[in-house]
Amino acid sequence: MIIGIVGPTGSGKSAVGVALAQRLNAVIISVDAYQIYQGMDIGTGKIKDSEKAGIPHYFIDHIPAHMPYDVAQYQRDVREKIDALRAQNTPILMVGGSGYYLKAVLHDLTFPSGDKAEVPAPDVIWDILKEKAPELLDGVHPNNHKRLFNRYRRFQSGTDVSAVDRAWYPYTLYGLERPLETLKKRTDARIDAMVDAGLLDEVTHLRQTGLSATAKEAIGYKEWNGYFAGVLTAQEVIQAIKTHTHQYIKKQRTYFTHQLPVHWIDAEGLDADAIAGEIMADLKNKASIK
């Protein structure tokens, strides 16, 4: 059984993951699309070595930031690691807020392999799917090009529409829930702390060494483009980071609520140890019922 600790940015997942891993003698697999990159430390809120309490963390600093890496590669690499850990009977925690990456590992998502063929324009994709696989357009807006491209790749791969609902591994997910205003205040304070810790210097260095197409899209990094172009002040960039983070929090909450079976825990007023204790009690209860 794989246990996941999920939720929006600022909900306290990393600390709860460590506290729970200590109780279960487990290792942690990071589920973060950007903490996977080396050098993207401050802007991603990457957990420090001093905070890990000796718990092995995988898929943090996995690859250089200039190297291409996507969800399909993450799925392949993480499944390989999970299979090795399961063969050793090692308890596994998956901790993070990148819901699509988590679902790619835990469910039967298929990605096309080999050379990438030219992708049609969004309006052409819409017409193709409307004619040949209208079920793939469920929940997709014509202007949501990213989701539209994902559905087109699924169409190309021949993946059964229902396949994404099939679990690849047995798992249980716990989500940390906090009021939206609390999350906004927590992330705003964290962003201010990132700036004080040297975020601009980190971004400047990464721009010099190079960022992959995926890494460039990380919140906390892409907003500085206007600053370097001379059209935004540092304060305007910081506010943009906060605004985009607030928007992302809402998207995360929506994704985890509708795309994965999450047992939500009210984390407000509780520290990491208390939340870990609540999860342990629930796991013991589930074990006694079986």
Side-chain angles (χ1 to χ4, degrees), residues 24-25 34 36 43 93 96 98 107 112 118 124 127 183 185 196 212 229 240 265 288:
L24 294 173
N25 195 28
Y34 300 110
I36 202 164
L93 294 182
S98 296
H107 283 257
E118 183 177 350
V124 176
D127 291 339
L183 291 171
K185 289 178 181 178
D196 292 341
S212 70
I265 295 174
S288 66

Side-chain angles (χ1 to χ4, degrees), residues 63-260:
I63 55 170
H66 68 270
M67 288 184 61
Y69 199 81
D70 59 18
V71 65
Q73 292 168 290
Y74 178 83
Q75 179 195 65
R76 182 187 63 244
D77 292 348
V78 171
R79 284 182 176 176
E80 182 179 341
K81 172 57 70 174
I82 287 175
D83 291 342
L85 291 169
R86 280 161 59 90
Q88 300 167 2
N89 294 317
T90 301
I92 302 168
L93 294 182
M94 297 190 71
V95 181
S98 296
Y100 186 50
Y101 277 57
L102 180 66
K103 189 168 185 177
V105 172
L106 296 179
H107 283 257
D108 193 8
L109 271 65
T110 302
F111 302 96
S113 59
D115 296 334
K116 293 184 178 179
E118 183 177 350
V119 179
D123 58 334
V124 176
I125 291 177
W126 183 271
D127 291 339
I128 292 172
L129 295 182
K130 186 174 182 180
E131 177 184 354
K132 298 183 178 180
E135 65 277 5
L136 286 175
L137 292 176
D138 288 347
V140 180
H141 190 279
N143 293 333
N144 190 337
H145 295 171
K146 184 176 181 180
R147 175 171 280 190
L148 198 57
F149 291 148
N150 287 336
R151 295 300 175 92
Y152 181 69
R153 287 198 292 268
R154 191 189 302 176
F155 168 71
Q156 285 183 309
S157 69
T159 304
D160 181 358
V161 177
S162 64
V164 294
D165 294 323
R166 294 197 294 264
W168 194 264
Y169 301 104
Y171 70 85
T172 297
L173 301 182
Y174 293 93
L176 306 187
E177 191 171 36
R178 297 181 189 271
L180 181 58
E181 287 307 311
T182 297
L183 291 171
K184 288 180 178 179
K185 289 178 181 178
R186 287 167 64 97
T187 52
D188 283 355
R190 187 165 76 167
I191 290 165
D192 288 336
M194 289 175 179
V195 173
D196 292 341
L199 177 59
L200 178 54
D201 290 339
E202 179 174 278
V203 173
T204 302
H205 175 71
L206 288 168
R207 287 172 65 91
Q208 293 171 347
T209 58
L211 289 168
S212 70
T214 303
K216 285 180 180 178
E217 293 303 308
I219 296 174
Y221 296 86
K222 63 182 179 180
E223 291 82 3
W224 292 97
N225 291 337
Y227 173 83
F228 287 103
V231 296
L232 291 177
T233 66
Q235 199 56 45
E236 287 173 328
V237 170
I238 294 166
Q239 185 55 51
I241 295 172
K242 291 178 179 179
T243 299
H244 292 162
T245 301
H246 298 168
Q247 293 168 345
Y248 183 54
I249 286 170
K250 293 179 181 179
K251 290 180 180 179
Q252 288 174 300
R253 287 160 64 115
T254 299
Y255 190 92
F256 284 120
T257 299
H258 297 289
Q259 294 292 325
L260 290 162

